[in-house]
Amino acid sequence: MGTNLNHIGVLTSGGDAPGMNAAIRAVVRACTHYGIKVSGIQEGYQGLIDGNMDEMDARSVAHIINRGGTILQSARCLQFREKKGREKAHDNLKANDIDALIIIGGDGSFTGANLFSQEFDIPVVGIPGTIDNDIYGTDFTLGYDTALNTVVEAIDKIRDTATSHNRLFFIECMGRDAGFIALNAGIAGGATEILIPEDNKTLDDVVNKLEYSRSAKKTSNIVLVAEGDQLGDTFKLAEETQKKLPDHDIRVSVLGHIQRGGNPTCADRVLGSRLGVAAVEQLLHGHSGIMVGLRNDTVTTETLHDAITKKPGINRNLMHVADIVSL
């Protein structure tokens, strides 16, 4: 390989996502394979500032590929946003002879990584880990596939009650800035209507769709709402719908943080493994300031700057499909 790295640090930052442990495992074992020391940094950037890190080996990551969450734990660190905090983090890296960092997280984590790398000339490679799938430069992020399956399973279970009682359910899923989970899970779960931040449907659009469903003699209706949808609070949306459709029996279910948890799917375990190895190899080739991702089933790279500043577009064809199959 093309550089003389001796010691790599790895951390998870921001919201946890299934598949992070698979990525940690792959980073550690790739380092072992290439004869490089590796240290796990606890609690994200806070661990950098506190000097909370331990050397790892192939056995220290045994039996974690199937576990959700992150064995390194994660935390949001306000101190790292200040220059003084980043200086302390840099001092701790040097004190532990760590030459480079692998950051597993989302756009906020990558923003900190990019700034830190530029300020202190520390090689950094990112691995995208967020259930929202809202990182530019990769088709899939760690945790997305698992979260999708969790949401679909929840929809299936809620539909049992909806059908038994001829009810209309508004189900809120995660997706503050992106509708990937809602759109795909909505199609898979047979939702009557799907509301996402990238679309501009009105309350009247929702009401008209539900009235059509009633006339078509549907025995249950699911409206899947991404938490960042433009129509706002899901409970308020349900109240406004009830005013226009007083004969509907309406309920609201907010899925919340169950979407983050659970054992990662096969797809997330394989993705974490591929990206973990790729991150180590990119550092060994002398690359920095990049994110490793997956496009068309091929591992690719994207600059952290573009991963942070650009947004992946929603698949408009899927929105078209959703409108047709929800009749």
Side-chain angles (χ1 to χ4, degrees):
M1 296 279 176
T3 190
N4 293 318
L5 285 182
N6 296 308
H7 194 173
I8 292 174
V10 57
L11 62 83
T12 50
S13 175
D16 62 289
M20 283 183 165
N21 282 329
I24 294 166
R25 174 179 179 268
V27 167
V28 171
R29 292 191 171 177
C31 286
T32 301
H33 175 78
Y34 289 112
I36 306 165
K37 288 203 300 184
V38 57
S39 288
I41 300 162
Q42 294 287 333
E43 298 183 335
Y45 292 122
Q46 191 64 54
L48 271 184
I49 292 173
D50 296 339
N52 187 5
M53 55 191 78
D54 296 292
E55 194 169 336
M56 304 177 78
D57 59 28
R59 298 285 67 80
S60 62
V61 290
H63 312 302
I64 69 168
I65 194 171
N66 61 310
R67 292 167 54 184
T70 162
I71 64 165
L72 294 179
Q73 299 187 303
S74 186
R76 303 188 189 276
C77 180
L78 295 179
Q79 284 179 275
F80 198 75
R81 297 182 183 180
E82 304 294 330
K83 182 66 177 288
K84 186 176 180 180
R86 295 192 297 274
E87 287 175 345
K88 188 173 181 182
H90 177 253
D91 290 342
N92 284 328
L93 283 185
K94 290 305 178 185
N96 287 274
D97 296 318
I98 294 177
D99 305 311
L101 284 175
I102 292 174
I103 311 295
I104 307 171
D107 56 0
S109 304
F110 289 170
T111 298
N114 199 40
L115 179 59
F116 188 64
S117 178
Q118 292 172 355
E119 285 180 335
F120 300 103
D121 195 28
I122 296 291
V124 169
V125 171
I127 296 175
T130 168
I131 68 167
D132 290 338
N133 205 47
D134 59 349
I135 300 293
Y136 179 82
T138 184
D139 291 338
F140 306 109
T141 58
L142 294 178
Y144 172 61
D145 187 72
T146 304
L148 270 184
N149 280 275
T150 298
V151 173
V152 171
E153 183 180 1
I155 293 172
D156 289 346
K157 291 180 177 180
I158 290 171
R159 185 180 294 282
D160 289 344
T161 293
T163 302
S164 297
H165 296 274
N166 196 20
R167 284 176 178 162
L168 162 60
F169 269 87
F170 283 81
I171 302 176
E172 181 183 292
C173 66
M174 286 184 170
R176 185 180 59 213
D177 301 309
F180 296 101
I181 292 177
L183 180 56
N184 285 272
I187 292 173
T192 301
E193 187 62 279
I194 302 168
L195 303 177
I196 59 176
E198 296 88 346
D199 204 1
N200 56 359
K201 288 178 180 172
T202 66
L203 177 61
D204 286 339
D205 291 330
V206 176
V207 170
N208 290 338
K209 189 66 172 288
L210 292 171
E211 286 181 327
Y212 175 83
S213 294
R214 175 62 66 89
S215 68
K217 303 188 184 306
K218 272 196 171 184
T219 57
S220 67
N221 283 291
I222 301 291
V223 177
L224 191 59
V225 186
E227 61 180 324
D229 177 67
Q230 297 179 29
L231 288 178
D233 179 78
T234 304
F235 285 94
K236 183 67 174 177
L237 174 60
E239 289 176 9
E240 293 301 316
T241 303
Q242 185 75 81
K243 292 176 185 177
K244 292 180 177 289
L245 300 173
D247 58 332
H248 279 60
D249 187 4
I250 298 178
R251 297 289 189 274
V252 176
S253 182
V254 178
L255 301 184
H257 284 80
I258 66 166
Q259 296 161 89
R260 287 197 187 279
N263 296 338
T265 59
C266 175
D268 274 326
R269 298 181 198 194
V270 173
L271 181 62
S273 299
R274 294 180 73 178
L275 297 187
V277 170
V280 172
E281 292 180 342
Q282 287 297 320
L283 287 172
L284 289 174
H285 283 299
H287 299 155
S288 178
I290 61 170
M291 176 198 78
V292 291
L294 195 71
R295 280 184 163 172
N296 298 319
D297 200 32
T298 300
V299 174
T300 59
T301 63
E302 188 64 67
T303 65
L304 285 177
H305 176 269
D306 283 355
I308 296 163
T309 59
K310 295 183 179 181
K311 292 296 179 185
I314 204 78
N315 188 327
R316 295 286 165 178
N317 178 255
L318 276 182
M319 295 171 65
H320 172 66
V321 169
D323 285 337
I324 291 175
V325 299
S326 62
L327 296 177

